[in-house]
Amino acid sequence: MAYKNILVIGGTGFIGSQVIARLARGAAPRITVPTRRYESSKHLLVMPTVRTVVADIHDEAALERLMDGVDTVINLVGILQSRRGPAGTAYGPDFARVHVDLPRKIVAACERRGIKRLVHVSAIGADIQAPSMYLRSKAAGEAAVLSSPEIVTTVLRPSVVFGEQDHFLNMFAALQKLFPVVPLGGAEARFQPVYVGDVAEAVVAVVQHQIGAGKIFELAGPQIYTLRQLVHLAGIYAGHPRPIIGLPSTLASLQAFCLEHLPGQLMSRDNLASMRVDNIASAPMAVELGIVPTALEQVGPRYLAGVNVQQQLDAWRRNARR
């Protein structure tokens, strides 16, 4: 293995936990995972090569200290909602802080510490001209991590990610257990969902096999679905399929406006804007990653059948306070 001391920023989350589990297998490297709260990292401590550190990753001095002895950095940090910025700004302050300012700080700290390898997870559809703040901020973050000639950087762009503990299909499965009908904005938006295990394998492949220098890889599953189809499948797999009513654009915007002001922020107007761009890959997954994409139908029935509505509600509340 080329890299022995890895810093995984955002390692306690949905994708990060999968990445770390795979990195820690076999001839495991030393893995450092910063966390805001020690409790949120306890599930990682069963792996002997993993060290968690309570730290504020947005503090530049703390970030640089985390890089002591590190030879590669993986950035998995991302959010789905942000407050809106002043008129004329490309994205709101939360997106700016997490998707743009943090990658800039990571690059600067890597340069000061002489770290030459960076893997950055972005999103399919990232574009500075995209219709949503989310996608515009993701594009600005990519520009930041690719700006340094001193660092070998690889960018991974997953589509919407599914798997056990996801906040996408689990949410729609839980809603169909609670309500007799699902009014759905953006029902015909197209997605190519990718399995969380495949995303994690892609991150590990890039690190372990030293591939993708200066490249952007899109990560997507084998099948394209409309949002309506995905919600329908979530209901079937959870055992509570409900009628789905596609909303016209005006009602969809009104629904998103209402939902973004409720606890849990199930949907926002910016999420709806993101769906104006197809969330699908421009080509099959890169051969050099060595991954055969996992179909939703292979794993969805297993984990969605056990959806716990109360746990999902608790997760929404935690996200709302993020």
Side-chain angles (χ1 to χ4, degrees):
M1 182 183 294
Y3 300 102
K4 297 294 184 182
N5 296 288
I6 301 174
L7 174 64
V8 183
I9 303 171
T12 62
F14 171 50
I15 297 174
S17 297
Q18 296 273 342
V19 169
I20 289 167
R22 284 161 173 78
L23 284 173
R25 291 174 185 166
R30 175 181 171 230
I31 304 165
T32 300
V33 185
T35 179
R36 288 180 297 176
R37 295 180 298 274
Y38 175 76
E39 290 74 17
S40 65
S41 66
K42 284 183 176 179
H43 64 290
L44 302 175
L45 298 179
V46 296
M47 292 171 273
T49 58
V50 176
R51 177 177 71 105
T52 64
V53 180
V54 176
D56 178 4
I57 57 173
H58 297 279
D59 180 274
E60 294 181 70
L63 186 60
E64 191 167 343
R65 285 194 297 272
L66 287 166
M67 295 187 184
D68 186 32
V70 166
D71 49 40
T72 192
V73 176
I74 299 170
N75 179 35
L76 304 169
V77 179
I79 57 174
L80 291 175
Q81 276 99 20
S82 170
R83 293 165 293 163
R84 292 180 174 270
T89 56
Y91 32 79
D94 306 306
F95 283 147
R97 180 173 185 259
V98 174
H99 292 167
V100 186
D101 295 342
L102 178 59
R104 285 175 183 157
K105 292 174 183 177
I106 290 171
V107 167
C110 285
E111 288 177 335
R112 289 193 295 269
R113 286 288 185 172
I115 296 170
K116 302 299 183 183
R117 192 69 171 105
L118 174 61
V119 181
H120 176 77
V121 175
S122 181
I124 278 183
D127 190 316
I128 205 66
Q129 301 298 325
S132 70
M133 297 188 296
Y134 172 79
L135 292 173
R136 292 194 294 269
S137 67
K138 282 290 190 179
E142 289 184 3
V145 298
L146 292 169
S147 66
S148 175
E150 301 175 26
I151 303 171
V152 177
T153 300
T154 303
V155 173
L156 299 175
R157 288 180 170 182
S159 180
V160 63
V161 183
F162 69 89
E164 190 173 357
Q165 299 180 345
D166 71 49
H167 294 303
F168 181 62
L169 293 181
N170 273 298
M171 175 184 72
F172 287 116
L175 287 175
Q176 288 175 85
K177 284 190 173 184
L178 288 172
F179 300 107
V181 65
V182 180
L184 188 64
E188 304 311 314
R190 297 199 302 164
F191 294 85
Q192 196 172 352
V194 61
Y195 179 50
V196 64
D198 293 342
V199 176
E201 290 289 353
V203 173
V204 173
V206 166
V207 171
Q208 291 184 334
H209 303 301
Q210 304 182 59
I211 60 178
K215 289 186 177 181
I216 297 175
F217 291 122
E218 293 181 330
L219 307 178
Q223 182 69 38
I224 296 171
Y225 308 83
T226 64
L227 181 59
R228 182 194 299 272
Q229 290 170 326
L230 288 172
V231 174
H232 179 63
L233 284 175
I236 289 174
Y237 295 156
H240 296 273
R242 305 297 190 198
I244 299 166
I245 301 174
L247 298 177
S249 59
T250 302
L251 286 180
S253 295
L254 179 60
Q255 179 193 54
F257 174 81
C258 293
L259 289 174
E260 72 183 52
H261 289 90
L262 293 176
Q265 290 185 307
L266 304 186
M267 172 73 75
S268 70
R269 287 169 291 172
D270 194 65
N271 295 151
L272 196 63
S274 288
M275 287 191 279
R276 289 190 232 144
V277 178
D278 284 338
N279 195 258
I280 61 177
S282 59
M285 198 177 295
V287 174
E288 57 259 56
L289 294 175
I291 297 168
V292 177
T294 303
L296 171 61
E297 290 79 3
Q298 290 177 249
V299 297
R302 183 177 69 246
Y303 77 87
L304 289 171
V307 169
N308 183 298
V309 175
Q310 186 58 51
Q311 288 179 355
Q312 191 64 47
L313 289 171
D314 291 342
W316 294 337
R317 293 188 186 102
R318 287 195 300 272
N319 287 339
R321 292 193 293 268
R322 177 165 53 183

